Amino acid sequence: VLTRSLLASRAFGKAFAGHSRPSLRPSAVSRPTSRQSVTVLAESRLEQLARVTTLSIDTGDLQVIKDFAATGFITDATTNPLFVSQAGLSGDPVYVAFVDDAIAYAREKDGDDVALAMDKLAVNLGVAIAKLVPGYISTEVDPRLSFDKEETLRRARRIIALYEEAGVPRSRVLIKLAATWEGIAAMAELEAEGITCNITLVFGFVQAVAAAQYGARLISPFPGRILDYNKRVQGREAWEPDEDPGVVAVRRMYEYFKRHGHETICMPASWRPSRGKGHDLDEIEALAGTDRMTIPPGFLEQLAQSSGTLPRKLEAAKAADTCSDDILCGGKISEAQFRLLMNQDGCATEKTAEGLRAFIADTDKLEEVIRQKLEEKSS
């Protein structure tokens, strides 16, 4: 038995205390709130999963990332506007230093550029994470730009420049963009420049296929939120894991990529219990074998502490044979076709909008804090 310390940063636990907006994170089990140990059993489900799927940790908590990276089963890390906001608002000395550096950088370079300070803060967090994991780190462009291709391009290029200035090569960075038409169009240009992208907030088949057709390095479909939608629409509370609508949707995307030769990585995120309370790992286990997964710390800990065989559910060659979807829209979907198919997909339309609203709310909150700090420095 291998035991490792897991220190959940008080900063992240307190950052949004009293925040009334419903969390888009998984249930509370995904965030340890006190000092505890991660026990990695021999032949644990975490170890078995890591053999068939490359694993990323979904958190901005540096100590937690360090502890899980030390197990050898986690290679990548993902962040989002919520994590950056939590870091910026935490009051923890480590993250306060990131904020102060970002403020000083923006003042030196561009006077009082709030957007530059926010990009620099996100990069500061990413640079720290890059020292803890050997693989990809994901940093999201301001979600308020999800319908503005040109400004998305400008900010994405600046984020990459900030990483390279800090000594992190672009090959290690995934620029996260929402799966809007404008986000996908921006991604196509960035990928052509050697800037790899993670198309996130993927809830529908058309979003996944369009991202692959235009050359995304990676997509992040959200099976848990697809399940949430179907629970509400169908008035049903539980499914067997293999029949879970979120699992079915992600499996279809994965199969399509393998049949039609797309190299885009399928990395699901955001997990729910298919069968209800007490079955937190249902979706994760039902998608074992997909290219990558990003998983929050609490679920990683459950995997580390559980034993028994974890069957591989997805395999590339079998997926290609299983896929029943022909090439969509002749292999290069147009804007008009994308928008029509999005409109026809209630889950993709509703959940993309909901996810953007949540991330924008987090970004607005952080922007106000950064603006105040810039004003304080200049007064």
Side-chain angles (χ1 to χ4, degrees):
V1 176
L2 174 64
T3 301
R4 299 196 180 276
S5 166
L6 172 59
L7 293 174
S9 167
R10 289 191 299 272
F12 277 72
K14 295 178 180 178
F16 276 16
H19 192 31
S20 61
R21 176 176 62 76
S23 174
L24 291 178
R25 298 291 91 200
S27 60
V29 70
S30 67
R31 273 299 288 139
T33 55
S34 60
R35 184 186 179 96
Q36 53 187 289
S37 63
V38 176
T39 302
V40 184
L41 302 177
E43 289 299 306
S44 70
R45 287 176 176 258
L46 178 62
E47 181 177 357
Q48 293 176 66
L49 183 61
R51 287 182 192 145
V52 298
T53 293
T54 300
L55 300 181
S56 173
I57 186 167
D58 194 24
T59 183
D61 187 320
L62 297 175
Q63 183 61 55
V64 172
I65 293 170
K66 180 179 180 180
D67 292 332
F68 274 103
T71 68
F73 302 131
I74 306 301
T75 62
D76 302 349
T78 53
T79 66
N80 61 42
L82 173 62
F83 297 156
V84 177
S85 294
Q86 287 176 328
L89 299 170
S90 69
D92 182 281
V94 174
Y95 303 104
V96 167
F98 292 164
V99 174
D100 289 345
D101 178 75
I103 296 294
Y105 187 93
R107 293 288 297 157
E108 177 186 351
K109 297 291 185 180
D110 210 0
D112 60 353
D113 189 333
V114 176
L116 176 58
M118 292 172 70
D119 287 346
K120 179 61 172 170
L121 173 58
V123 170
N124 284 348
L125 179 60
V127 169
I129 293 171
K131 297 175 182 177
L132 303 176
V133 297
Y136 284 128
I137 46 175
S138 291
T139 296
E140 191 154 351
V141 170
D142 188 327
R144 297 171 298 187
L145 302 176
S146 296
F147 301 96
D148 186 337
K149 172 190 164 186
E150 294 306 320
E151 187 61 13
T152 291
L153 287 169
R154 187 183 74 84
R155 294 283 289 275
R157 290 165 179 148
R158 182 165 74 183
I159 287 169
I160 289 297
L162 289 170
Y163 269 112
E164 291 180 335
E165 185 178 276
V168 178
R170 65 179 59 192
S171 60
R172 292 201 57 201
V173 181
L174 291 170
I175 293 293
K176 287 180 75 174
L177 304 172
T180 60
W181 177 256
E182 293 79 5
I184 291 169
M187 170 275 294
E189 291 195 25
L190 293 169
E191 290 279 359
E193 298 171 11
I195 297 173
T196 51
C197 297
N198 172 353
I199 295 296
T200 190
L201 294 176
V202 172
F203 303 99
F205 186 64
V206 64
Q207 293 171 299
V209 174
Q213 288 179 347
Y214 284 90
R217 174 62 58 88
L218 181 150
I219 66 163
S220 293
F222 287 23
R225 297 191 208 175
I226 296 171
L227 175 61
D228 290 344
Y229 175 86
N230 281 275
K231 282 184 175 182
R232 181 178 64 78
V233 170
Q234 297 189 39
R236 180 175 169 179
E237 286 301 314
W239 278 262
E240 286 302 308
D242 287 342
E243 299 169 359
D244 175 324
V247 170
V248 171
V250 174
R251 191 166 60 226
R252 182 186 180 194
M253 297 170 194
Y254 177 84
E255 289 172 354
Y256 184 94
F257 289 1
K258 302 313 174 189
R259 176 184 175 186
H260 297 294
H262 293 294
E263 296 183 359
T264 299
I265 294 163
C266 185
M267 185 182 76
S270 181
W271 309 97
R272 303 288 189 271
S274 305
R275 292 171 290 174
K277 187 176 180 180
H279 300 280
D280 297 320
L281 304 179
D282 276 352
E283 292 183 331
I284 293 171
E285 294 179 354
L287 291 169
T290 190
D291 302 316
R292 293 173 185 255
M293 293 181 180
T294 186
I295 303 174
F299 293 163
L300 290 172
E301 187 178 13
Q302 287 189 46
L303 287 163
Q305 293 179 353
S306 61
S307 57
T309 301
L310 192 155
R312 180 169 189 164
K313 294 300 187 78
L314 297 180
E315 190 274 323
K318 185 180 293 185
D321 291 339
T322 302
C323 178
S324 60
D325 288 293
D326 293 329
I327 293 176
L328 187 65
C329 297
K332 207 72 165 182
I333 191 168
S334 69
E335 178 179 355
Q337 290 168 326
F338 178 87
R339 294 195 187 282
L340 175 61
L341 291 172
M342 275 291 288
N343 182 74
Q344 298 302 102
D345 187 332
C347 178
T349 297
E350 180 177 312
K351 286 297 179 180
T352 302
E354 179 184 88
L356 282 173
R357 285 194 297 270
F359 285 156
I360 287 169
D362 296 327
T363 303
D364 286 343
K365 178 175 284 192
L366 178 62
E367 181 182 63
E368 182 58 29
V369 171
I370 296 293
R371 189 182 305 280
Q372 291 175 4
K373 289 183 176 293
L374 279 168
E375 291 172 355
E376 291 170 3
K377 296 288 186 181
S378 61
S379 62

